[in-house]
């Protein structure tokens, strides 16, 4: 467990709130472990009917904490807390809702592709800068995104690391609605409570039908993991990490 992830269970809804605002909720290995455990516990619990992900005001998540990530990259990616969380995220059966305010970068953006409902504040800004960092997409993004928005728009978002805002997310079908920041979390919790109150059997069966080929998604996660590890060791990725960390030290 880590103090940077707050977990609260109320009325059948588990709120998972990232709480590292000084780093824009950038994720560490310890945070990934806590997130994975929180989802696994939700799936195993008969009392939890839905999960809500949220961050801090102005920051959902800036993605990986690169200092922590560089250290973790010295070990096999197969053993990384990030990959263990991604695998759990892809197979979680409990309905998931995201309340996105501010930056949602990297895993902060790809996480939302696994959520059944996504609500964003007007300040939400999504970005997946994998190629920029010498990497490839993760969390099944190469499988999920083109099936949601088509190959052409996916190409722009992934190859150019192109950002999109809350209105564009709704237009693309990547978010359900834009909600004022001060109402966002309550709105997401209310929607999650409605999900949790539904009959479990029909809910799970319908969710499975909507989401489609689970085996294909999990296969994509594993294919991406192999490519991601290869790129993680590449000169391009190492140079990108070093440049980012150098800028951070000077800031």
């Amino acid at each position: 467990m880590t103090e940077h992830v707050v977990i609260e269970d109320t009325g059948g809804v588990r709120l998972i709130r990232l709480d590292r605002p000084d780093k824009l909720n950038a994720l560490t290995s310890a945070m990934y472990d806590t997130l994975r455990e929180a989802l696994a516990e939700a799936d195993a619990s008969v009392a939890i009917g839905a999960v809500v992900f949220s961050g801090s005001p102005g920051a959902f998540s800036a993605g990986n904490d690169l200092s922590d990530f560089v250290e973790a990259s010295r070990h096999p990616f197969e053993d990384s807390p990030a990959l263990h969380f991604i695998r759990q995220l892809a197979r979680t059966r409990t309905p998931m809702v995201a309340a996105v305010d501010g930056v949602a970068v990297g895993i902060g953006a790809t996480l939302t592709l696994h959520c059944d409902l996504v609500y964003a504040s007007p300040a939400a800004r999504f970005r997946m800068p994998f190629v920029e960092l010498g990497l490839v997409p993760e969390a099944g993004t190469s499988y999920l995104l083109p099936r949601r928005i088509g190959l052409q728009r996916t190409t722009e978002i992934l190859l150019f690391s192109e950002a999109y805002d809350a209105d564009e997310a709704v237009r693309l079908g990547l978010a359900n609605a834009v909600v004022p920041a001060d109402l966002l979390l309550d709105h997401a919790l209310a929607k999650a409570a409605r999900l949790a109150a539904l009959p479990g059997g029909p809910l799970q069966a319908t969710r499975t039908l909507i989401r489609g080929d689970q085996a294909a998604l999990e296969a994509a996660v594993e294919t991406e993991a192999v490519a991601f590890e290869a790129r993680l060791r590449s000169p391009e990725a190492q140079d990108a990490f070093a440049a980012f960390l150098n800028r951070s030290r000077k800031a």
Side-chain angles (χ1 to χ4, degrees):
M1 301 295 283
T2 170
E3 71 274 18
H4 297 310
V5 179
V6 178
I7 300 169
E8 301 172 4
D9 294 340
T10 306
V13 175
R14 167 160 287 191
L15 172 61
I16 302 175
R17 180 169 59 84
L18 304 178
D19 189 27
R20 199 185 179 208
D22 57 316
K23 297 295 185 180
L24 300 179
N25 295 324
L27 297 175
T28 64
S29 294
M31 293 170 74
Y32 276 122
D33 279 337
T34 300
L35 291 170
R36 175 186 53 77
E37 290 170 6
L39 287 181
E41 289 171 1
D43 263 5
S45 172
V46 296
I48 297 171
V51 168
V52 173
F53 290 103
S54 76
S56 309
F60 183 66
S61 174
N64 282 302
D65 180 301
L66 279 191
S67 296
D68 183 88
F69 195 65
V70 168
E71 178 61 32
S73 72
R74 297 188 173 97
H75 307 283
F77 187 60
E78 172 67 24
D79 300 331
S80 73
L83 181 56
H84 292 326
F85 166 67
I86 286 168
R87 286 170 170 158
Q88 178 62 55
L89 182 67
R91 64 174 176 256
T92 292
R93 300 183 308 278
T94 306
M96 295 177 285
V97 181
V100 182
D101 182 27
V103 295
V105 177
I107 187 66
T110 60
L111 179 156
T112 68
L113 299 177
H114 295 266
C115 291
D116 302 271
L117 299 170
V118 178
Y119 300 99
S121 79
R125 188 169 177 82
F126 303 81
R127 191 163 177 262
M128 305 176 196
F130 300 109
V131 172
E132 235 177 51
L133 291 171
L135 300 170
V136 297
E138 35 80 313
T141 301
S142 62
Y143 175 81
L144 292 171
L145 199 58
R147 283 159 180 77
R148 299 274 290 278
I149 67 173
L151 288 173
Q152 302 302 327
R153 192 68 179 100
T154 295
T155 298
E156 291 179 324
I157 288 173
L158 293 183
L159 295 190
F160 295 151
S161 303
E162 189 174 284
Y164 54 96
D165 62 15
D167 288 331
E168 179 72 353
V170 172
R171 189 187 72 79
L172 290 170
L174 297 175
N176 294 82
V178 181
V179 180
D182 59 336
L183 303 176
L184 179 65
L185 182 55
D186 284 345
H187 183 83
L189 288 169
K191 294 293 186 179
R194 288 184 62 186
L195 290 173
L198 293 171
L203 174 65
Q204 285 292 338
T206 303
R207 186 176 185 266
T208 298
L209 290 169
I210 290 171
R211 293 171 75 85
D213 193 337
Q214 179 67 23
L217 170 59
E218 293 189 30
V221 166
E222 298 307 319
T223 299
E224 287 177 349
V226 172
F228 194 94
E229 176 150 32
R231 296 308 312 163
L232 194 60
R233 316 293 177 197
S234 71
E236 294 97 333
Q238 295 301 313
D239 288 348
F241 295 162
F244 179 88
L245 293 175
N246 188 49
R247 288 194 302 271
S248 298
R249 292 186 192 102
K250 291 178 178 179

